[in-house]
Amino acid sequence: MKNIITVLFLFIGLNTFAQNTVIKAGHFFDARSGKMIDNQMIIIQNGKIKEVGANLKINKTDTVIDLSNSWVLPGLMDCHVHITSNLAYRKGNWNDDAVKESNALRAIRGSVIAKQFLDNGFTTIKEIGNDANYATSDIIKAIKNGWIQGPTIIYSGKIIAPYGGQSSGVNPEHENFWDWEYIDADTHEEIIKAIRKNIYNGATVIKLVTGDNGIYDEEDIKVAVTEAKKYGLKVTVHVNKGGQVATNVILGGAAAIEHGVDLNNTELQLMKDKGTFLVGTDFAFDNWYAYGFDSTMAKSMVDLEVDRLKRAYIIGTKMAFGTDNFNDLPGLNRIQSNLKILEVWKLASIPPSYILQCMTINAAELLGLENSRGVLEKFFYADIIALKNNPLDNIDAIKTVQFVMKEGKVIRKD
Ligand SMILES: [Zn+2]
């Protein structure tokens, strides 16, 4: 009995006097309501949030971080990234890069870009394939080992697709060249095997491509969703075409459609009804131009995206933020290049509070992190950022990151 009392006393004592970090937030973004609340305090212990509120008690031993002149938000999330790729400006050629860049080089680039994400306020990313021979798997291990700093990475492994991956024009002598980044899966058995292979290599989400070469029918998608679900994973699908290609994916039960630039109102409504997320990846003019499109083509793509984004917002299709960009624009780092796409969200008149929700609470739901990240509440991880300017006035304020905390650890404080 005496021992139990001693242990109990020690436990209470440790909790009372444990070293807390306290953030004083001048303006605090409540991701659930999409509203800014003034003068909040966040108490952090052992990497997680212990308490949030106004006028909380501070212990003498606590470390206080004063962000009373800043806008404090949950760490941002990008649900569609390619950290190991960087196509040459306007001369991009996936086949060329696959031949000339080793897996090691891709992993080194990926680790540099992962750190750029974290330093610029993105504490969680979804790496969605085209990462050579599972290069990201090693980046995740290096982050977990503490060798390098990076965001939480939800990872797809290789992209699963009907025969040919997303290649075109590869001659028959080099058949299977695309296996570097894709797994051919044309039957239900092959889809199941591909999912198991990706999970073996570290995948935490399953990505399919449909409609670029072959097309998956509803039953194919259901097989993938059922198999992934056994391991607690979700299926997300690259779809550029509307019509039956998209409908198969939605009715098959995928968690999200990536891109979906051609989706019509019927498909967007069906997504809303089924709870399918849209990760729109709406490149700005500069992103399309960097990819190699001419001005006319780039402009018409932006017009299509603005129109689809507007319709999705009005219909109420669930959305999560994703950039997809794989080009560093001249003079800009990856994140600055990615955030060009905010121009498209602004052209579509999407309110800043909703864009922030797409980057936080909505993204967390899509990524299966709704109980651990995406809002600043008790028991959630202390993934916290602060901005110099008010993002509700102008969403471009997310480019003014001046503080980043990842799981209670300060990564950046300007
Ligand atoms: Zn992509």
Side-chain angles (χ1 to χ4, degrees):
M1 188 64 183
K2 197 181 158 199
N3 279 348
I4 292 172
I5 291 169
T6 312
V7 168
L8 204 67
F9 185 76
L10 256 174
F11 179 74
I12 294 164
L14 278 174
N15 255 320
T16 311
F17 300 111
Q19 174 83 45
N20 294 330
T21 303
V22 181
I23 291 179
K24 288 183 173 177
H27 315 278
F28 171 99
F29 183 65
D30 172 25
R32 277 190 210 282
S33 67
K35 295 208 165 74
M36 210 56 87
I37 308 169
D38 283 350
N39 299 319
Q40 295 290 293
M41 289 163 71
I42 311 166
I43 301 182
I44 297 140
Q45 192 179 78
N46 298 326
K48 291 197 172 173
I49 296 170
K50 198 180 156 196
E51 217 177 339
V52 179
N55 303 315
L56 301 179
K57 187 175 165 285
I58 301 178
N59 295 318
K60 272 190 194 147
T61 52
D62 293 347
T63 305
V64 177
I65 298 172
D66 187 3
L67 298 172
S68 43
N69 293 318
S70 304
W71 279 262
V72 175
L73 286 77
L76 306 176
M77 302 186 180
D78 187 330
C79 295
H80 190 130
V81 308
H82 300 284
I83 56 173
T84 73
S85 301
N86 186 19
L87 292 192
Y89 186 68
R90 289 189 60 72
K91 292 194 182 83
N93 180 326
W94 291 100
N95 292 348
D96 220 30
D97 284 20
V99 171
K100 290 177 181 167
E101 294 191 339
S102 69
N103 209 51
L105 186 71
R106 300 283 294 273
I108 292 167
R109 176 189 291 127
S111 64
V112 171
I113 293 179
K115 176 74 165 121
Q116 286 176 7
F117 270 103
L118 185 59
D119 286 344
N120 288 280
F122 286 84
T123 54
T124 303
I125 57 176
K126 183 175 76 174
E127 162 63 43
I128 197 131
N130 292 123
D131 71 323
N133 199 21
Y134 297 107
T136 305
S137 189
D138 287 334
I139 298 169
I140 294 169
K141 283 179 201 162
I143 293 170
K144 280 194 178 145
N145 289 345
W147 301 345
I148 56 171
Q149 287 184 328
T152 298
I153 302 179
I154 303 297
Y155 173 49
S156 75
K158 291 197 187 189
I159 298 167
I160 300 168
Y163 179 85
Q166 288 177 284
S167 72
S168 60
V170 174
N171 64 47
E173 285 75 16
H174 291 106
E175 185 192 28
N176 300 331
F177 168 80
W178 53 83
D179 285 358
W180 179 239
E181 298 197 338
Y182 296 86
I183 302 177
D184 286 334
D186 293 282
T187 65
H188 293 174
E189 287 71 24
E190 285 172 351
I191 291 170
I192 290 169
K193 178 117 190 234
I195 289 172
R196 291 178 186 176
K197 188 175 173 186
N198 276 340
I199 292 172
Y200 181 88
N201 286 292
T204 46
V205 66
I206 300 303
K207 173 166 180 207
L208 309 180
V209 163
T210 182
D212 281 19
N213 283 310
I215 294 168
Y216 283 133
D217 61 27
E218 188 184 323
E219 217 39 54
D220 296 328
I221 304 291
K222 278 184 178 158
V223 165
V225 169
T226 306
E227 183 63 20
K229 206 173 170 190
K230 283 190 203 166
Y231 314 98
L233 306 192
K234 297 189 186 187
V235 172
T236 194
V237 189
H238 160 111
V239 183
N240 265 331
K241 296 185 174 74
Q244 197 58 49
V245 177
T247 307
N248 291 344
V249 172
I250 305 163
L251 294 179
I257 282 184
E258 311 279 336
H259 318 300
V261 74
D262 278 347
L263 295 171
N264 66 24
N265 288 353
T266 310
E267 290 140 14
L268 290 169
Q269 181 65 47
L270 191 59
M271 288 173 75
K272 184 192 176 184
D273 296 343
K274 294 275 173 194
T276 319
F277 273 90
L278 173 65
V279 182
T281 70
D282 300 298
F283 275 15
F285 179 92
D286 288 351
N287 303 117
W288 287 117
Y289 192 74
Y291 190 43
F293 280 32
D294 66 27
S295 300
T296 315
M297 273 290 285
K299 170 108 185 35
S300 69
M301 285 306 293
V302 170
D303 291 344
L304 272 179
E305 292 163 347
V306 169
D307 174 59
R308 194 270 280 105
L309 202 47
K310 267 186 186 167
R311 288 185 288 111
Y313 180 72
I314 291 164
I315 287 168
T317 313
K318 276 194 198 174
M319 287 195 264
F321 185 78
T323 54
D324 186 31
N325 178 38
F326 33 75
N327 287 95
D328 293 350
L329 300 180
L332 301 183
N333 71 24
R334 177 61 56 91
I335 316 312
Q336 292 163 335
S337 309
N338 290 352
L339 291 180
K340 286 269 171 192
I341 87 164
L342 290 175
E343 290 170 13
V344 180
W345 289 72
K346 287 199 285 188
L347 283 170
S349 309
I350 311 294
S353 62
Y354 186 68
I355 302 176
L356 291 179
Q357 287 177 316
C358 289
M359 293 175 157
T360 54
I361 188 167
N362 288 14
E365 185 190 341
L366 171 60
L367 302 180
L369 304 174
E370 64 273 25
N371 296 318
S372 56
R373 303 178 200 273
V375 292
L376 300 181
E377 292 174 4
K378 194 173 178 176
F379 304 131
F380 281 67
Y381 279 105
D383 287 357
I384 302 171
I385 66 165
L387 311 174
K388 200 171 150 217
N389 299 328
N390 183 356
L392 297 189
D393 283 349
N394 184 343
I395 193 62
D396 284 328
I398 67 163
K399 298 172 191 166
T400 63
V401 172
Q402 51 182 194
F403 172 83
V404 177
M405 172 182 274
K406 177 70 184 150
E407 295 177 6
K409 190 177 171 200
V410 176
I411 303 292
R412 169 178 175 185
K413 190 173 186 319
D414 296 359

